[in-house]
Amino acid sequence: MRSGSWIEPLVGRTGVLLRVRGYSTRTQDTYCTWVRRFLEHSGAGSADVVGPAHVASFLKDLTERARLAPRTRNQASSALAFFFRDVLGRDELEGMPRAKQPKKVPVVLSHRQASKVLRELGGKYRLISAIMYGCGLRLSEAHQLRVKDVDFDLAQIAVRDGKGGRDRWVMLPDRLSSALKRQVQRVKTIHAADRKGGGGWVTLPHALARKDPNASCELGWQFLFPSSQWSEDPVTGRFGRYHLHPSATQRAVKKAARATGIPKPISCHTFRRSFATQMLRAGYDARTVQKLMGHRDIRTTMIYVEAVTDAGIGVRSPLDHADWRD
């Protein structure tokens, strides 16, 4: 067997099992990448040879040579645990110790700073970023919104198949209502043109395409932020519009953040973190914020609670006493 030729079938099988288990597309890609890197690093000639010693060597290399953060190394550990357990049917990695993650204060923006970044953005990128900041959505969740997910009458946005496969409702900010209505009209125009051109099809979640084949051409199922070009679906081979690629929004936000001169490492996820701290500062309880953020564990939400309380909100500094003189 040609050197390395045994790796790709295993990576492919990993991808298939991830899809069957219902993992997100992003997780599928990430896990498959880690499995491929691990198998190539092992230097083994077959899956029967690889074991815990190869895993330990790989993780050590990620720590000492690649100098990856603990969170990234733990991501690799999770991918390899899935590979050994679900693909190889072996339990050698059960109970494998995880890298200790240092406690870090999340980078957040004040409302003034967030507004400053949003003003530097234009068009769809401003609207997507405003949704992340105003509703607490992840970048992937904002991009995966469909026309039917926005309920103007109830002033709600449905977030479908979020992290962990969970759905939730978030508020639709009054300030975004008009802009979202205009965006829906843009999608309607694009969709009508696509239908005339023989397209207008969109990928559907899970088994809906089999249960209701016509749904893929309905306006409600179209992505709220469609891509500028048609693309081919790898499963069905049909051509249609997928959603805008997240990297486009990431580049736009990075550029806008640099233009503001705010001395903070600002990314798309910073808007989501800022939403959480702003809600907590406004007096909303942690459980409410947990539901809006889509956190499975309240401990994740408590990171933001600590960020607010540890910052001394409501506590006066000695320098701010009335009788202080410069």
Side-chain angles (χ1 to χ4, degrees):
M1 181 179 289
R2 181 168 51 85
S3 177
S5 60
W6 61 280
I7 294 177
E8 287 308 315
L10 285 170
V11 174
R13 187 180 172 195
T14 302
V16 170
L17 287 174
L18 285 164
R19 286 195 294 276
V20 170
R21 301 286 193 276
Y23 285 75
S24 69
T25 303
R26 184 175 180 181
T27 301
Q28 293 172 34
D29 293 340
T30 301
Y31 275 30
C32 285
T33 298
W34 281 122
V35 169
R36 182 182 290 106
R37 286 182 62 176
F38 163 68
L39 294 176
E40 291 173 349
H41 180 274
S42 71
S46 72
D48 296 332
V49 180
V50 295
H54 293 95
V55 174
S57 175
F58 180 63
L59 295 178
K60 181 180 179 182
D61 186 68
L62 295 182
T63 304
E64 298 180 355
R65 187 186 61 80
R67 303 183 69 178
L68 297 182
R71 182 175 183 179
T72 307
R73 300 201 304 271
N74 286 337
Q75 183 189 69
S77 297
S78 297
L80 297 183
F82 178 90
F83 175 68
F84 271 77
R85 182 186 66 247
D86 294 69
V87 180
L88 301 183
R90 292 154 55 183
D91 60 1
E92 289 107 314
L93 300 190
E94 292 298 324
M96 181 175 58
R98 312 278 286 181
K100 185 178 180 180
Q101 298 190 48
K103 183 179 178 180
K104 294 185 177 181
V105 176
V107 176
V108 297
L109 301 172
S110 68
H111 179 67
R112 183 182 65 82
Q113 290 173 328
S115 299
K116 203 172 180 181
V117 177
L118 290 174
R119 283 195 295 269
E120 290 290 338
L121 290 160
K124 55 194 174 189
Y125 299 118
R126 176 185 288 182
L127 184 53
I128 293 171
S129 299
I131 289 173
M132 290 188 288
Y133 175 58
C135 308
L137 269 62
R138 299 176 177 90
L139 174 64
S140 59
E141 293 171 342
H143 278 257
Q144 290 168 10
L145 288 175
R146 302 188 188 240
V147 170
K148 69 178 184 61
D149 294 331
V150 183
D151 191 323
F152 293 102
D153 289 338
L154 295 178
Q156 293 179 327
I157 297 176
V159 182
R160 308 289 184 183
D161 200 23
K163 191 172 182 179
R166 296 182 296 277
D167 293 354
R168 70 184 189 277
W169 286 97
V170 297
M171 75 288 280
L172 194 169
D174 292 339
R175 288 180 179 273
L176 295 186
S177 184
S178 296
L180 282 170
K181 286 179 180 178
R182 290 193 296 270
Q183 182 62 23
V184 169
Q185 285 302 313
R186 292 189 191 99
V187 176
K188 188 175 182 179
T189 301
I190 292 171
H191 182 55
D194 285 349
R195 292 285 285 160
K196 287 182 180 180
W201 171 88
V202 70
T203 181
L204 296 175
H206 309 301
L208 184 59
R210 187 178 67 252
K211 296 176 181 177
D212 187 2
N214 295 324
S216 62
C217 290
E218 294 176 1
L219 174 64
W221 281 103
Q222 304 304 304
F223 286 110
L224 189 59
F225 300 101
S227 61
S228 58
Q229 297 178 335
W230 288 7
S231 59
E232 182 181 8
D233 183 84
V235 178
T236 64
R238 299 177 68 180
F239 285 85
R241 287 188 191 272
Y242 202 55
H243 59 66
L244 182 70
H245 200 281
S247 62
T249 304
Q250 290 171 329
R251 287 193 297 269
V253 170
K254 284 288 186 184
K255 183 179 179 181
R258 285 194 297 268
T260 63
I262 299 173
K264 291 182 179 180
I266 300 171
S267 66
C268 292
H269 206 66
T270 308
F271 287 123
R272 174 173 158 84
R273 295 192 188 107
S274 302
F275 166 85
T277 54
Q278 292 290 343
M279 293 293 288
L280 290 165
R281 284 174 177 162
Y284 292 97
D285 63 274
R287 287 290 181 185
T288 298
V289 177
Q290 179 191 7
K291 287 185 177 181
L292 292 172
M293 295 282 284
H295 289 153
R296 180 172 57 184
D297 194 328
I298 188 65
R299 288 176 294 183
T300 305
T301 313
M302 292 306 295
I303 294 172
Y304 299 97
V305 174
E306 292 171 5
V308 171
T309 55
D310 289 352
I313 303 301
V315 179
R316 286 176 60 84
S317 165
L319 285 175
D320 291 331
H321 283 283
D323 58 353
W324 178 269
R325 295 290 184 271
D326 290 332

